[in-house]
Amino acid sequence: MNLDYLFYRFSKSKFRSKFHLSDKDIDYINKKGMDKIREHAYDFISKRLGPEVIENDGKQTPWRGHPVFVAQHATGCCCRGCLEKWHGIKKGHKLSDKEIDYIVSVIMEYIRREYEKKP
């Protein structure tokens, strides 16, 4: 999927468009670096969204506390239901490496765009 079009769709969603990285998130990115944030994204997605069955699906992603969590909500990568709705990734199967790579790329693109907006 074209990421520019996907981000355009997010901008038209009242819910998705309300999420933005906080100054604390930006400070965390500055401290850790984008490579470490990407590692965290892979870890969170693999463990929280990757399994075939997720016991607390729809409630597994905190609202804040890490830039990746904010990005997950902003990009519809927060639960398997949203992944299906926004990205066409069906529920009920273990995520493939290709699907995880795609999700992380969407999350990191959101973080990059938000990061570049901040002074």
Side-chain angles (χ1 to χ4, degrees):
M1 178 177 277
N2 178 311
L3 289 185
D4 286 334
Y5 179 67
L6 182 62
F7 278 81
Y8 169 78
R9 289 180 52 222
F10 296 143
S11 76
K12 296 301 177 192
S13 166
K14 190 174 183 179
F15 180 75
R16 301 285 162 207
S17 66
K18 74 179 179 180
F19 293 97
H20 298 284
L21 295 180
S22 68
D23 290 341
K24 187 175 175 182
D25 293 326
I26 297 298
D27 289 344
Y28 187 80
I29 293 167
N30 287 335
K31 182 179 173 185
K32 297 293 185 180
M34 287 292 193
D35 289 341
K36 183 56 81 175
I37 301 299
R38 182 181 303 278
E39 285 178 33
H40 293 169
Y42 270 104
D43 185 55
F44 294 151
I45 297 307
S46 297
K47 290 178 180 172
R48 295 171 186 244
L49 294 179
E52 180 178 344
V53 177
I54 301 167
E55 193 171 307
N56 62 338
D57 193 31
K59 296 180 180 143
Q60 73 268 41
T61 304
W63 292 100
R64 63 183 79 75
H66 196 286
V68 171
F69 298 152
V70 175
Q72 283 182 261
H73 289 291
T75 61
C77 296
C78 46
C79 68
R80 293 300 288 267
C82 290
L83 280 175
E84 189 166 1
K85 175 183 176 181
W86 285 94
H87 304 280
I89 298 173
K90 301 283 185 202
K91 295 181 185 183
H93 73 282
K94 183 179 185 299
L95 292 177
S96 68
D97 289 344
K98 184 178 177 181
E99 289 168 325
I100 292 171
D101 288 345
Y102 165 77
I103 294 163
V104 170
S105 71
V106 170
I107 288 168
M108 292 307 297
E109 178 63 14
Y110 169 84
I111 290 173
R112 183 193 66 79
R113 290 176 185 215
E114 283 284 301
Y115 185 82
E116 289 179 356
K117 284 190 222 174
K118 299 287 182 173

